[in-house]
Amino acid sequence: MSLAGRQSLALAVAIAGGVLGFLASLGFFFVPLLPPWALWLAHPLVVVAGLVAGRSAVERGREADRARWEVADEPLATAAEREHAHKEAERERRIAGTVFLAAPVFLGYWGLYQFGAGGPGSWALPVSGLLGFLAGYGIESRRGGPERRH
């Protein structure tokens, strides 16, 4: 799946998780409450979703940077075109980071209510998504080569 496709999927997961979590917080459950033992499966799944999202955010940022430098290195590009390329790349990086962060966190938010609000350890599901994202982001950031900064 392409990075743009992963970003679209992450956006759909974030929206669905946020809406389903909000509705569940109001008492409207579209999925039956899950048994407490399933929480031991939910935490690793949310962490893995966060890891994948963090890595994808870095990869998408690198993709935006490649597009930025293609325009900026063009000898016939005007100053306005170069400035636009830099601004567009930064906008794409911010959007990708936000979308990829929101997906595991809102997935965990929904899970918080699927185990019954206040269930043992269910409050930590959104935190698991956040920690997974930070770990994936950090690992992928260190793994890649240095970014071009001019």
Side-chain angles (χ1 to χ4, degrees):
M1 177 181 283
S2 70
L3 287 171
R6 277 193 253 171
Q7 186 173 339
S8 297
L9 177 63
L11 179 61
V13 168
I15 291 170
V19 168
L20 290 172
F22 178 71
L23 292 174
S25 74
L26 297 176
F28 299 106
F29 295 96
F30 294 98
V31 176
L33 290 178
L34 300 172
W37 61 265
L39 188 60
W40 294 105
L41 298 173
H43 275 286
L45 290 174
V46 172
V47 168
V48 168
L51 282 168
V52 170
R55 292 187 63 186
S56 296
V58 173
E59 291 171 9
R60 187 75 163 133
R62 288 183 182 142
E63 187 178 79
D65 282 340
R66 281 191 297 275
R68 166 201 323 228
W69 292 114
E70 283 178 14
V71 173
D73 288 341
E74 179 65 35
L76 299 177
T78 64
E81 289 171 334
R82 287 186 179 102
E83 182 179 346
H84 177 70
H86 289 303
K87 286 182 180 180
E88 184 65 19
E90 289 305 315
R91 185 186 71 79
E92 287 180 19
R93 289 176 67 98
R94 279 192 307 272
I95 289 172
T98 302
V99 167
F100 283 119
L101 172 62
V105 170
F106 283 138
L107 189 63
Y109 170 65
W110 178 37
L112 177 123
Y113 291 100
Q114 285 307 121
F115 293 98
S122 65
W123 61 268
L125 278 170
V127 176
S128 293
L130 174 63
L131 293 177
F133 176 85
L134 293 175
Y137 193 92
I139 290 168
E140 188 64 26
S141 292
R142 290 181 183 267
R143 207 178 94 204
E147 292 183 18
R148 180 176 173 185
R149 298 193 191 278
H150 288 207

